[in-house]
Amino acid sequence: MKRIFSAILSCALCVPLFLPPARAASDPVVRVGLAYGASAQEASRLEAADGAGWTVGEMRGTSFVSRETLSCAVLTVEPDGTGLRLVDADAGRTVYETDADELALSALGRLTLFGQNRYEGDFVCRNTDGRVTVINYIGLEDYIKGVVPYEMTASWPREALKAQAVCVRSYADGQMGKHESQGFDLCASTHCETYRGTGRATANSDAAVEETKGEYLWYNGKKVVGYYFSSDGGATEDAANVWGGSLPYLTGVPDPYENTAEALNGTWSVALTAAQAAEKLRAAGHTIGTVASIQITGRTAMGNVAELTVTDTAGTKVKLTRAACRSVFGLNSIRYSVSGGTAAAAPAASNVVYVIGADGVKRQVALSGCSMLTSAGLKPVTTAAQTTDTSAAGDSFTFTGTGWGHSVGMSQYGAKAMAEQGFPYDRILQYYFTGIEVR
Ligand SMILES: [Zn+2]
C-alpha cells in the first residue's frame, strides 16, 4: 500500500516529548538476535506499526539514547562503508547516516513490523561485514509473552500456560548470553526459544505470564533452567541419560497424564533402507559398511532407548548412546522400537513386554499392562532382558515410537493434561522437575 508522507522526513525535535515509555526498572532487558550470521541481511526493512515514526539513536548498555526523530513509517537500514544509513522506503531518500557501525531505533508507537512479525521494544541494527544484523532489545516479561504462544498453544488451559511461562523465564535466565560472541543474548529460534513478538499473544497467554511474573524454578537455593519439550510418549528421562552430566532436578518420571495419541507427532515411524542408515551414520562421523542389523542394546529405567548398536555385514559395530540414539537417524524421540523392513512392524516400545512361560522360553507379547501377565501365571522379565532381544535384520529398518522432543524436563502435552485434570501450575512443574520450588 502506498503511504503518503511529507518529503522532508528527518527532523530533530524536542526529544523528551518523544522518548518511548520507560520500561519497569526491575525488568531486565533481553537482546534477541532476529537476523545475524548467515541470516544477516543486505538491507533490513523495519516498519513503525502505527505509522507514527521513530526515534533513532544508540544503545548505552541496554538504555536507549535518542539522537533524532524521524517521521517516516518504513525504514530500510543499509550498510554504508563501515557505517549505516537509513532510507525512507516510501520516498527512496536517505534520512539518516552514521559512521558508527551500529544504531538503535525505537518506534514511537512501540510496535515494529520486521519480517512477518510484530515486536515491542527497541531495535539495534549493526553493520557486520557489509550485512545488517538486527537485534530486538525487549524487557524480559514482554519477551516471555512473545515466546509462550509460539512454544505452546495460546488457547490451552491457563495453568499449563503458566507452567510454560515459568519454564520460558527460567530458560531465558539460565541461557542469557548464550550468543554473547554474536553480540546478543538469545536467538529467536528453537536453538534458544521460539520468539516471534506479539502476533499470537492472547489475553489467556498474556495473563499466564503476568500471573507468574518474576517466578523462577529453584533447586537447592539456586535458579535452574526450565527445559521442556512437546511430548514424552510415556516417560521423561534423566538429563544424564540424554546429555550426560548430573542434574538431579532433571530426573526421568513416568507420565500417566500425557495423552500421547492427541499430541502433535506423538506417535511416529521412520523407515530407512540399509543404505540410508549407513549414510546417516557416516554423516555423523561413524565408519560403517553395509548395515546388517540395528539393535536396541540398552534401555533406561524409564524404558527409553539408552543404546543402539548397528552392525555391518563385516561384523563392525557402531554404538550410539544418549541423544545420538535420536539424532543420528533423525527420530522424534528416544522412546521407540526397531524392526527389520521385511519383518512385520513391531509394536511400539511401550506395549512390548517379554514373558517367560512355564516351559522357560521367553516370548514377546504385546500388552497394555503387566496385570494380565500375572493373572495368566507369567512372569515379566527385566527391562534389560527385554531390550537386548529387540533386533532387526534385512535391507530396511522401521523405527516406531512415541513422543516428540528431547524428553528432559516438562512435557508440554503432559502439562496440558495435568491442567485439564485440575493441577495448578506449580504442581505441574514439581511433577516434571524433581525437588524444585517455584518462587
Ligand atoms: Zn540460540
Side-chain angles (χ1 to χ4, degrees):
M1 245 199 303
K2 178 86 179 150
R3 289 167 191 281
I4 302 165
F5 287 98
S6 60
I8 305 301
L9 293 152
S10 173
C11 57
L13 293 172
C14 182
V15 165
L17 290 175
F18 291 89
L19 276 178
R23 196 183 285 120
S26 59
D27 196 15
V29 171
V30 186
R31 301 168 298 162
V32 189
L34 303 182
Y36 61 94
S39 66
Q41 301 174 313
E42 283 179 21
S44 296
R45 184 181 190 278
L46 287 89
E47 181 174 344
D50 60 357
W54 304 88
T55 52
V56 56
E58 62 188 83
M59 281 291 172
R60 290 210 188 125
T62 55
S63 298
F64 188 94
V65 179
S66 181
R67 292 272 175 250
E68 211 169 305
T69 302
L70 306 175
S71 60
C72 49
V74 187
L75 291 172
T76 306
V77 187
E78 298 175 358
D80 181 8
T82 56
L84 291 160
R85 69 170 162 261
L86 299 177
V87 176
D88 171 359
D90 292 315
R93 171 192 301 265
T94 297
V95 291
Y96 187 87
E97 288 173 303
T98 176
D99 292 334
D101 63 357
E102 185 178 295
L103 59 78
L105 287 167
S106 184
L108 291 169
R110 296 306 295 156
L111 285 174
T112 298
L113 298 174
F114 175 70
Q116 302 300 309
N117 303 305
R118 192 176 62 201
Y119 299 89
E120 293 198 46
D122 303 323
F123 277 75
V124 164
C125 298
R126 185 178 301 143
N127 181 338
T128 312
D129 302 324
R131 296 178 76 83
V132 182
T133 294
V134 180
I135 302 165
N136 184 204
Y137 281 50
I138 179 87
L140 176 63
E141 296 297 322
D142 285 335
Y143 165 80
I144 297 164
K145 287 179 179 177
V147 174
V148 167
Y150 290 93
E151 291 283 5
M152 184 179 268
T153 304
S155 60
W156 280 14
R158 178 76 57 85
E159 296 303 311
L161 289 161
K162 285 164 73 175
Q164 180 69 48
V166 175
C167 285
V168 170
R169 190 177 292 107
S170 294
Y171 189 93
D173 183 69
Q175 300 286 302
M176 199 73 91
K178 191 172 178 178
H179 289 270
E180 190 61 56
S181 65
Q182 291 161 294
F184 52 93
D185 295 308
L186 302 169
C187 71
S189 75
T190 53
H191 174 262
C192 288
E193 301 186 287
T194 305
Y195 168 71
R196 299 270 185 276
T198 63
R200 268 196 207 167
T202 65
N204 193 38
S205 67
D206 280 356
V209 178
E210 286 158 15
E211 288 170 19
T212 61
K213 184 172 164 42
E215 292 186 357
Y216 294 87
L217 299 178
W218 295 77
Y219 181 81
N220 268 356
K222 285 183 182 164
K223 281 198 256 183
V224 291
V225 175
Y227 296 97
Y228 56 91
F229 56 91
S230 182
S231 63
D232 55 48
T236 69
E237 191 49 70
D238 296 4
N241 291 334
V242 179
W243 300 323
S246 176
L247 291 167
Y249 78 101
L250 297 172
T251 297
V253 291
D255 195 334
Y257 303 106
E258 178 187 291
N259 181 352
T260 305
E262 167 205 85
L264 183 65
N265 294 326
T267 55
W268 52 269
S269 73
V270 170
L272 295 174
T273 64
Q276 289 168 330
E279 198 176 301
K280 286 179 183 294
L281 284 161
R282 287 178 200 127
H286 299 284
T287 303
I288 191 87
T290 302
V291 173
S293 77
I294 301 177
Q295 294 176 296
I296 294 168
T297 45
R299 284 190 190 265
T300 70
M302 287 294 117
N304 295 316
V305 176
E307 185 183 81
L308 199 57
T309 301
V310 184
T311 309
D312 69 14
T313 50
T316 302
K317 289 183 190 300
V318 170
K319 284 187 191 296
L320 303 177
T321 59
R322 294 177 178 159
C325 295
R326 177 168 80 106
S327 62
V328 170
F329 292 122
L331 309 177
N332 279 3
S333 75
I334 51 171
R335 198 167 185 83
Y336 57 84
S337 59
V338 56
S339 64
T342 51
S350 53
N351 292 331
V352 175
V353 178
Y354 286 77
V355 297
I356 298 173
D359 55 3
V361 175
K362 186 167 66 176
R363 297 182 184 85
Q364 181 181 322
V365 295
L367 293 173
S368 57
C370 285
S371 57
M372 290 168 69
L373 301 178
T374 42
S375 65
L378 300 170
K379 188 179 95 178
V381 300
T382 66
T383 301
Q386 286 179 31
T387 58
T388 44
D389 276 6
T390 308
S391 61
D395 63 0
S396 71
F397 306 91
T398 301
F399 299 84
T400 306
T402 55
W404 189 23
H406 53 61
S407 299
V408 178
M410 186 185 80
S411 157
Q412 293 170 309
Y413 276 93
K416 174 177 187 271
M418 287 185 79
E420 285 165 350
Q421 291 174 38
F423 289 94
Y425 75 102
D426 52 343
R427 291 279 303 283
I428 296 171
L429 292 165
Q430 283 163 348
Y431 186 76
Y432 288 107
F433 298 100
T434 303
I436 57 102
E437 285 179 88
V438 182
R439 58 185 168 88

